[in-house]
Amino acid sequence: MEVTHEQSMLAYSTYSEAGGVGKTTTAANLAVAHARAGLKPLVVPLDPQDGDLSRLFGVDEQRTEPVDNLVRHMVRRPKGGFSDLIRTVEGVDIVPEHNMLSDLGEYLQREKDQSEAMGEAFGMHAQLLRVLREADVPDTYDVLICDPPATEGPHLYNAIHATRSLVIPIEPSAKGRAAVEGLESLVAGLQDQLDVSVGVLAAIPIGFKDTRDQRTILNEIDYPIPEIIGERASLMEGCWMQQCSAFTYVREFRDRRRDYELETLAQFDRIARHLEQEVGIEAPNPPEPGDLDHEVIPA
């Protein structure tokens, strides 16, 4: 079935209050899982740190150069078209991060002050949404994934304002439990502050070792849990070393295919199908979950 524009674009931000839980690798692998199924995903990472999604996919070589970038578009100072920002890796379109993201709040505040001095409105947290709409992203792409930093601020607020939905990687630990409990108040606060409704499409426990305490913690989570991913530190570290998704890492850089890693890839495929179904998208060419030999047909 071909995806039509009558169907809603799937849009979500990967978010975790706790660091080191695999938020960025989750975003990257889900993006590739959507692309493997014949959908057209756009990833907009917003993390000013060096260890970000642009680094993972190897498209961050210009982050320190005076080139056009997303921040310039968000403060209405672009040097070119939005489409010129995009790089394509593993079937995924990506807007690379730039060092100007470190000062995003200051740039937005300056533009807001100038606009208000001229009697114009300027919503600091609605600028990413404006840029995406002006670039016809909802009509061009089937999936939008934002990967903001964990800390509250303009990066996170712009991402959530643009996507309205969250996918939450969770560490199945006491620390992770606290993060989930804090998330509920965060979502309520964001809804009030941004005046938008924010939903949680899925919680994804990562690093699960099937202990009694971990099972207790998972039973307390009220959000949908489509899959529970085990301890895969070696696989994820390999992705960062080779600057690629887990799918490419297992296919091209592993000496042999390990059943537990293939199952992890299958889990990312199944999570992607779950998220697509949440908004009524039927992928045109879904693989058997984890099938690395599946023919990927570009959207």
Side-chain angles (χ1 to χ4, degrees), residues 11 32 34 38 41 48 78 84 97 112-113 174 204 210 230 234 237 239 252 258-259 290-291:
V32 172
H34 292 305
D84 295 331
E97 282 137 317
K112 178 181 174 67
D113 293 342
I204 306 172
D210 201 18
S234 175
E237 288 171 7
C239 294
E252 298 184 6
R258 298 159 172 82
D259 289 343
D291 178 9

Side-chain angles (χ1 to χ4, degrees), residues 123-142:
M124 285 181 58
H125 301 148
Q127 293 309 304
L128 176 59
L129 178 61
R130 174 189 59 79
V131 170
L132 297 175
R133 284 178 172 172
E134 290 177 355
D136 293 326
V137 165
D139 290 328
T140 305
Y141 291 92
D142 303 307

Side-chain angles (χ1 to χ4, degrees), residues 211-230:
T211 67
R212 183 174 63 182
D213 287 346
Q214 287 184 331
R215 290 193 296 272
T216 298
I217 291 167
L218 295 191
N219 288 334
E220 296 173 350
I221 297 173
D222 292 331
Y223 303 119
I225 301 178
E227 297 287 334
I228 299 172
I229 297 176

Side-chain angles (χ1 to χ4, degrees), residues 160 164 184-200:
I160 292 178
R164 315 293 171 93
E184 294 178 3
S185 59
L186 171 68
V187 169
L190 288 170
Q191 291 182 141
D192 292 340
Q193 181 172 350
L194 303 178
D195 195 25
V196 298
S197 178
V198 180
V200 177

Side-chain angles (χ1 to χ4, degrees), residues 66-78:
V67 297
D68 195 20
N69 64 83
L70 181 62
V71 174
R72 297 190 65 89
H73 287 248
M74 290 175 68
V75 296
R76 302 188 293 202
R77 301 288 189 279

